[in-house]
Amino acid sequence: MGMAIAIRPQILRMEPYAPGRPVEEVQREFGLDRVIKLASNENPFGPSPRAIAAVTEAAARMHIYPDGASRALRQAISQKFGVTDAHILLGNGSDELIHILGVMFLGEPGDELIMGDPGFSRYDASAHLAGCRLVKVPLRADLTHDLDAMLAAITPRTRMVFIANPNNPTGTVITRAEFDPFLARVPDGVVVVLDEAYGEYAADAPDPVSALDYVRSGAPVIGLRTFSKAYGLAGIRVGFGFAPAEVVDAYHRAREPFNVNSLAQVAAIAALEDEDHIAESVAHNHAGLQFLAEVFCAAEAHPYRSFANFAYADLGRPAQPVFEALLRRGVIVRSGSHVGHPHCLRVSVGRMDELEIFATEFRQVLDLI
């Protein structure tokens, strides 16, 4: 007789995170020699050589537990961003930061989390795991966050508001002129989380919003950052952030004891030091976005202005058949179908040779469909 296992029903209603298709899997399925992956917003140049050297040197000591407080990495972040240790969050990728913040602020069935729609799926997970109410506020027609509508959605039960800036999957940003009056009207007891995972790529954004400015001023704002994108450390999982001191104190109580592994710590320190690697990555990304915008415009598609490391475009036709046809040709991208944008396609900025391959295959696919 089978044993009844009582798993919380809200867990069973959740959908597992769906990462981009692995290159090896696509190669096997379609019998392809050449596959390029432009689906996961990774840095096409890889990590800094300094980070590789640091990990190689530290590998012999991986039998020793990491520094649970990540002191050296926290010090490096403190010096780089001009913020005290008391305001720094560190986690096993920013995914863990999002998860633990949900644990910290959401606990009662009536609690609410507000986010833009579409937005990053791990915000959904924070609400579902807590058994709380998830409120999704549609983006505006230009696919930017509708801060007025988000403000109107706040109720006495709202605990958290997540704003991805730049947003994933759209690449759009909010401005300080929009955010300041929004924040001024957010009621006490509501924390605003600015997810700046793609922040390094948004240096040229107009009237930029920086979470660090608000944390320094004592506002109820938490800023999330990551080493997975511009720093090229997605595979080793390390995220960081800035928050009020009382939030950081509570986070230390809730997190796992050794949540940032020893290899991730040394890799992140080395990546922070290699400013040339970041500058080159950002410069290439800017050129890649311009290239993709021209490809989409030539195909009479509408690319939205992106400040991340991916392009998002309305093809003016169903995107799923285009996505599937590209997949069969060895080009992995993302369809907007799963986020309610059936005519949109998201393409990560790869190396220029990869973008040329995408452009060629994309044009051929459009001619055939």
mmCIF file of all heavy atoms in Angstrom, residues 63-95:
data_model
loop_
_atom_site.group_PDB
_atom_site.id
_atom_site.type_symbol
_atom_site.label_atom_id
_atom_site.label_comp_id
_atom_site.label_asym_id
_atom_site.label_seq_id
_atom_site.Cartn_x
_atom_site.Cartn_y
_atom_site.Cartn_z
ATOM 1 N N HIS A 63 37.745 21.310 -0.469
ATOM 2 C CA HIS A 63 37.313 20.417 0.619
ATOM 3 C C HIS A 63 37.057 21.183 1.900
ATOM 4 O O HIS A 63 36.512 20.622 2.864
ATOM 5 C CB HIS A 63 38.386 19.351 0.868
ATOM 6 C CG HIS A 63 39.709 19.905 1.304
ATOM 7 N ND1 HIS A 63 40.491 20.691 0.489
ATOM 8 C CD2 HIS A 63 40.385 19.796 2.481
ATOM 9 C CE1 HIS A 63 41.588 21.039 1.134
ATOM 10 N NE2 HIS A 63 41.548 20.521 2.344
ATOM 11 N N ILE A 64 37.416 22.455 1.921
ATOM 12 C CA ILE A 64 37.244 23.291 3.106
ATOM 13 C C ILE A 64 35.974 24.118 2.947
ATOM 14 O O ILE A 64 35.713 24.672 1.878
ATOM 15 C CB ILE A 64 38.463 24.225 3.279
ATOM 16 C CG1 ILE A 64 39.731 23.399 3.461
ATOM 17 C CG2 ILE A 64 38.266 25.182 4.454
ATOM 18 C CD1 ILE A 64 41.000 24.220 3.423
ATOM 19 N N TYR A 65 35.189 24.207 4.008
ATOM 20 C CA TYR A 65 33.979 25.018 3.944
ATOM 21 C C TYR A 65 34.315 26.457 3.577
ATOM 22 O O TYR A 65 35.346 26.993 4.000
ATOM 23 C CB TYR A 65 33.247 25.020 5.296
ATOM 24 C CG TYR A 65 32.433 23.772 5.561
ATOM 25 C CD1 TYR A 65 32.882 22.812 6.458
ATOM 26 C CD2 TYR A 65 31.226 23.567 4.906
ATOM 27 C CE1 TYR A 65 32.147 21.659 6.702
ATOM 28 C CE2 TYR A 65 30.474 22.419 5.146
ATOM 29 C CZ TYR A 65 30.942 21.468 6.052
ATOM 30 O OH TYR A 65 30.206 20.338 6.284
ATOM 31 N N PRO A 66 33.442 27.109 2.813
ATOM 32 C CA PRO A 66 33.707 28.516 2.480
ATOM 33 C C PRO A 66 33.529 29.411 3.692
ATOM 34 O O PRO A 66 32.960 29.005 4.709
ATOM 35 C CB PRO A 66 32.629 28.820 1.427
ATOM 36 C CG PRO A 66 31.539 27.850 1.694
ATOM 37 C CD PRO A 66 32.207 26.605 2.201
ATOM 38 N N ASP A 67 34.016 30.624 3.574
ATOM 39 C CA ASP A 67 33.758 31.625 4.600
ATOM 40 C C ASP A 67 32.264 31.926 4.570
ATOM 41 O O ASP A 67 31.754 32.499 3.597
ATOM 42 C CB ASP A 67 34.565 32.890 4.304
ATOM 43 C CG ASP A 67 34.232 34.052 5.230
ATOM 44 O OD1 ASP A 67 33.470 33.844 6.196
ATOM 45 O OD2 ASP A 67 34.726 35.160 4.985
ATOM 46 N N GLY A 68 31.558 31.549 5.607
ATOM 47 C CA GLY A 68 30.104 31.721 5.634
ATOM 48 C C GLY A 68 29.659 33.163 5.562
ATOM 49 O O GLY A 68 28.532 33.452 5.121
ATOM 50 N N ALA A 69 30.522 34.064 5.960
ATOM 51 C CA ALA A 69 30.182 35.492 5.913
ATOM 52 C C ALA A 69 30.661 36.156 4.617
ATOM 53 O O ALA A 69 30.373 37.330 4.394
ATOM 54 C CB ALA A 69 30.785 36.217 7.111
ATOM 55 N N SER A 70 31.391 35.418 3.779
ATOM 56 C CA SER A 70 31.918 35.958 2.508
ATOM 57 C C SER A 70 32.611 37.301 2.732
ATOM 58 O O SER A 70 32.402 38.266 1.991
ATOM 59 C CB SER A 70 30.790 36.113 1.482
ATOM 60 O OG SER A 70 30.119 34.903 1.247
ATOM 61 N N ARG A 71 33.452 37.370 3.744
ATOM 62 C CA ARG A 71 34.032 38.649 4.158
ATOM 63 C C ARG A 71 34.824 39.341 3.051
ATOM 64 O O ARG A 71 34.680 40.550 2.828
ATOM 65 C CB ARG A 71 34.928 38.444 5.386
ATOM 66 C CG ARG A 71 34.155 38.083 6.661
ATOM 67 C CD ARG A 71 35.106 37.793 7.810
ATOM 68 N NE ARG A 71 34.395 37.344 9.001
ATOM 69 C CZ ARG A 71 34.040 36.081 9.241
ATOM 70 N NH1 ARG A 71 34.315 35.142 8.352
ATOM 71 N NH2 ARG A 71 33.396 35.761 10.347
ATOM 72 N N ALA A 72 35.686 38.594 2.374
ATOM 73 C CA ALA A 72 36.522 39.216 1.335
ATOM 74 C C ALA A 72 35.666 39.744 0.183
ATOM 75 O O ALA A 72 35.921 40.833 -0.346
ATOM 76 C CB ALA A 72 37.555 38.214 0.826
ATOM 77 N N LEU A 73 34.643 38.983 -0.212
ATOM 78 C CA LEU A 73 33.777 39.424 -1.299
ATOM 79 C C LEU A 73 32.945 40.629 -0.871
ATOM 80 O O LEU A 73 32.773 41.590 -1.634
ATOM 81 C CB LEU A 73 32.865 38.283 -1.748
ATOM 82 C CG LEU A 73 31.832 38.629 -2.827
ATOM 83 C CD1 LEU A 73 32.480 39.287 -4.039
ATOM 84 C CD2 LEU A 73 31.055 37.375 -3.236
ATOM 85 N N ARG A 74 32.446 40.604 0.346
ATOM 86 C CA ARG A 74 31.683 41.743 0.836
ATOM 87 C C ARG A 74 32.554 43.008 0.861
ATOM 88 O O ARG A 74 32.106 44.105 0.515
ATOM 89 C CB ARG A 74 31.119 41.439 2.222
ATOM 90 C CG ARG A 74 30.098 40.323 2.239
ATOM 91 C CD ARG A 74 29.797 39.855 3.656
ATOM 92 N NE ARG A 74 29.017 40.841 4.359
ATOM 93 C CZ ARG A 74 27.682 40.923 4.298
ATOM 94 N NH1 ARG A 74 27.000 40.056 3.565
ATOM 95 N NH2 ARG A 74 27.026 41.839 4.966
ATOM 96 N N GLN A 75 33.806 42.840 1.249
ATOM 97 C CA GLN A 75 34.727 43.972 1.265
ATOM 98 C C GLN A 75 34.971 44.502 -0.139
ATOM 99 O O GLN A 75 35.010 45.722 -0.368
ATOM 100 C CB GLN A 75 36.059 43.555 1.915
ATOM 101 C CG GLN A 75 37.112 44.651 1.982
ATOM 102 C CD GLN A 75 36.692 45.831 2.844
ATOM 103 O OE1 GLN A 75 35.887 45.673 3.763
ATOM 104 N NE2 GLN A 75 37.216 47.008 2.541
ATOM 105 N N ALA A 76 35.108 43.592 -1.099
ATOM 106 C CA ALA A 76 35.320 44.008 -2.493
ATOM 107 C C ALA A 76 34.115 44.773 -3.030
ATOM 108 O O ALA A 76 34.265 45.784 -3.735
ATOM 109 C CB ALA A 76 35.613 42.784 -3.362
ATOM 110 N N ILE A 77 32.925 44.298 -2.707
ATOM 111 C CA ILE A 77 31.702 44.987 -3.147
ATOM 112 C C ILE A 77 31.579 46.340 -2.458
ATOM 113 O O ILE A 77 31.208 47.342 -3.085
ATOM 114 C CB ILE A 77 30.467 44.103 -2.853
ATOM 115 C CG1 ILE A 77 30.480 42.869 -3.758
ATOM 116 C CG2 ILE A 77 29.170 44.888 -3.044
ATOM 117 C CD1 ILE A 77 29.434 41.825 -3.414
ATOM 118 N N SER A 78 31.929 46.364 -1.187
ATOM 119 C CA SER A 78 31.879 47.614 -0.427
ATOM 120 C C SER A 78 32.764 48.680 -1.073
ATOM 121 O O SER A 78 32.350 49.835 -1.251
ATOM 122 C CB SER A 78 32.320 47.357 1.020
ATOM 123 O OG SER A 78 32.393 48.559 1.751
ATOM 124 N N GLN A 79 33.976 48.291 -1.440
ATOM 125 C CA GLN A 79 34.907 49.239 -2.055
ATOM 126 C C GLN A 79 34.466 49.639 -3.456
ATOM 127 O O GLN A 79 34.560 50.812 -3.840
ATOM 128 C CB GLN A 79 36.309 48.624 -2.095
ATOM 129 C CG GLN A 79 36.941 48.465 -0.713
ATOM 130 C CD GLN A 79 38.309 47.803 -0.781
ATOM 131 O OE1 GLN A 79 38.703 47.250 -1.802
ATOM 132 N NE2 GLN A 79 39.040 47.856 0.325
ATOM 133 N N LYS A 80 33.952 48.684 -4.210
ATOM 134 C CA LYS A 80 33.559 48.949 -5.595
ATOM 135 C C LYS A 80 32.362 49.902 -5.676
ATOM 136 O O LYS A 80 32.309 50.795 -6.534
ATOM 137 C CB LYS A 80 33.211 47.624 -6.280
ATOM 138 C CG LYS A 80 32.705 47.745 -7.702
ATOM 139 C CD LYS A 80 33.833 47.860 -8.684
ATOM 140 C CE LYS A 80 33.326 47.751 -10.112
ATOM 141 N NZ LYS A 80 34.425 47.811 -11.077
ATOM 142 N N PHE A 81 31.393 49.708 -4.790
ATOM 143 C CA PHE A 81 30.136 50.455 -4.898
ATOM 144 C C PHE A 81 29.973 51.545 -3.840
ATOM 145 O O PHE A 81 28.961 52.246 -3.828
ATOM 146 C CB PHE A 81 28.949 49.483 -4.845
ATOM 147 C CG PHE A 81 28.882 48.565 -6.026
ATOM 148 C CD1 PHE A 81 29.453 47.297 -5.977
ATOM 149 C CD2 PHE A 81 28.288 48.967 -7.214
ATOM 150 C CE1 PHE A 81 29.406 46.445 -7.074
ATOM 151 C CE2 PHE A 81 28.237 48.132 -8.316
ATOM 152 C CZ PHE A 81 28.807 46.865 -8.251
ATOM 153 N N GLY A 82 30.963 51.679 -2.953
ATOM 154 C CA GLY A 82 30.894 52.744 -1.963
ATOM 155 C C GLY A 82 29.729 52.592 -1.006
ATOM 156 O O GLY A 82 28.995 53.552 -0.744
ATOM 157 N N VAL A 83 29.554 51.382 -0.489
ATOM 158 C CA VAL A 83 28.458 51.101 0.435
ATOM 159 C C VAL A 83 29.008 50.271 1.587
ATOM 160 O O VAL A 83 29.917 49.457 1.388
ATOM 161 C CB VAL A 83 27.311 50.365 -0.292
ATOM 162 C CG1 VAL A 83 27.784 49.038 -0.852
ATOM 163 C CG2 VAL A 83 26.102 50.176 0.599
ATOM 164 N N THR A 84 28.484 50.488 2.780
ATOM 165 C CA THR A 84 29.018 49.761 3.927
ATOM 166 C C THR A 84 28.560 48.316 3.938
ATOM 167 O O THR A 84 27.521 47.960 3.369
ATOM 168 C CB THR A 84 28.595 50.426 5.248
ATOM 169 O OG1 THR A 84 27.171 50.319 5.383
ATOM 170 C CG2 THR A 84 29.007 51.884 5.280
ATOM 171 N N ASP A 85 29.324 47.495 4.618
ATOM 172 C CA ASP A 85 29.044 46.065 4.732
ATOM 173 C C ASP A 85 27.648 45.786 5.264
ATOM 174 O O ASP A 85 27.010 44.804 4.892
ATOM 175 C CB ASP A 85 30.096 45.438 5.658
ATOM 176 C CG ASP A 85 29.933 43.947 5.803
ATOM 177 O OD1 ASP A 85 30.380 43.223 4.907
ATOM 178 O OD2 ASP A 85 29.338 43.514 6.814
ATOM 179 N N ALA A 86 27.154 46.667 6.115
ATOM 180 C CA ALA A 86 25.840 46.471 6.741
ATOM 181 C C ALA A 86 24.693 46.542 5.745
ATOM 182 O O ALA A 86 23.562 46.174 6.076
ATOM 183 C CB ALA A 86 25.626 47.514 7.835
ATOM 184 N N HIS A 87 24.975 46.987 4.512
ATOM 185 C CA HIS A 87 23.920 47.140 3.504
ATOM 186 C C HIS A 87 24.061 46.152 2.343
ATOM 187 O O HIS A 87 23.386 46.301 1.330
ATOM 188 C CB HIS A 87 23.921 48.569 2.957
ATOM 189 C CG HIS A 87 23.539 49.601 3.964
ATOM 190 N ND1 HIS A 87 22.257 49.738 4.448
ATOM 191 C CD2 HIS A 87 24.274 50.529 4.611
ATOM 192 C CE1 HIS A 87 22.215 50.715 5.325
ATOM 193 N NE2 HIS A 87 23.438 51.207 5.456
ATOM 194 N N ILE A 88 24.939 45.130 2.478
ATOM 195 C CA ILE A 88 25.223 44.223 1.359
ATOM 196 C C ILE A 88 24.585 42.855 1.578
ATOM 197 O O ILE A 88 24.740 42.233 2.627
ATOM 198 C CB ILE A 88 26.749 44.063 1.177
ATOM 199 C CG1 ILE A 88 27.379 45.402 0.796
ATOM 200 C CG2 ILE A 88 27.056 43.014 0.101
ATOM 201 C CD1 ILE A 88 28.896 45.380 0.772
ATOM 202 N N LEU A 89 23.853 42.395 0.561
ATOM 203 C CA LEU A 89 23.291 41.050 0.532
ATOM 204 C C LEU A 89 24.120 40.187 -0.414
ATOM 205 O O LEU A 89 24.577 40.667 -1.452
ATOM 206 C CB LEU A 89 21.848 41.078 0.004
ATOM 207 C CG LEU A 89 20.798 41.869 0.780
ATOM 208 C CD1 LEU A 89 19.539 42.009 -0.062
ATOM 209 C CD2 LEU A 89 20.483 41.187 2.095
ATOM 210 N N LEU A 90 24.298 38.914 -0.086
ATOM 211 C CA LEU A 90 24.979 37.969 -0.971
ATOM 212 C C LEU A 90 24.191 36.668 -0.999
ATOM 213 O O LEU A 90 23.668 36.221 0.028
ATOM 214 C CB LEU A 90 26.401 37.685 -0.489
ATOM 215 C CG LEU A 90 27.467 38.733 -0.811
ATOM 216 C CD1 LEU A 90 28.755 38.409 -0.091
ATOM 217 C CD2 LEU A 90 27.701 38.800 -2.313
ATOM 218 N N GLY A 91 24.132 36.048 -2.181
ATOM 219 C CA GLY A 91 23.377 34.805 -2.276
ATOM 220 C C GLY A 91 23.856 33.898 -3.382
ATOM 221 O O GLY A 91 24.718 34.261 -4.192
ATOM 222 N N ASN A 92 23.273 32.716 -3.410
ATOM 223 C CA ASN A 92 23.561 31.713 -4.425
ATOM 224 C C ASN A 92 22.807 32.101 -5.700
ATOM 225 O O ASN A 92 21.789 31.531 -6.048
ATOM 226 C CB ASN A 92 23.123 30.335 -3.911
ATOM 227 C CG ASN A 92 23.415 29.234 -4.898
ATOM 228 O OD1 ASN A 92 24.432 29.264 -5.577
ATOM 229 N ND2 ASN A 92 22.525 28.265 -4.993
ATOM 230 N N GLY A 93 23.335 33.132 -6.371
ATOM 231 C CA GLY A 93 22.611 33.751 -7.466
ATOM 232 C C GLY A 93 21.555 34.691 -6.901
ATOM 233 O O GLY A 93 21.170 34.590 -5.732
ATOM 234 N N SER A 94 21.091 35.643 -7.722
ATOM 235 C CA SER A 94 20.032 36.518 -7.225
ATOM 236 C C SER A 94 18.731 35.754 -7.049
ATOM 237 O O SER A 94 17.821 36.214 -6.354
ATOM 238 C CB SER A 94 19.844 37.727 -8.152
ATOM 239 O OG SER A 94 19.567 37.326 -9.466
ATOM 240 N N ASP A 95 18.626 34.560 -7.649
ATOM 241 C CA ASP A 95 17.448 33.712 -7.417
ATOM 242 C C ASP A 95 17.275 33.427 -5.931
ATOM 243 O O ASP A 95 16.157 33.449 -5.413
ATOM 244 C CB ASP A 95 17.584 32.377 -8.163
ATOM 245 C CG ASP A 95 17.479 32.525 -9.666
ATOM 246 O OD1 ASP A 95 16.891 33.518 -10.122
ATOM 247 O OD2 ASP A 95 18.002 31.658 -10.384
#
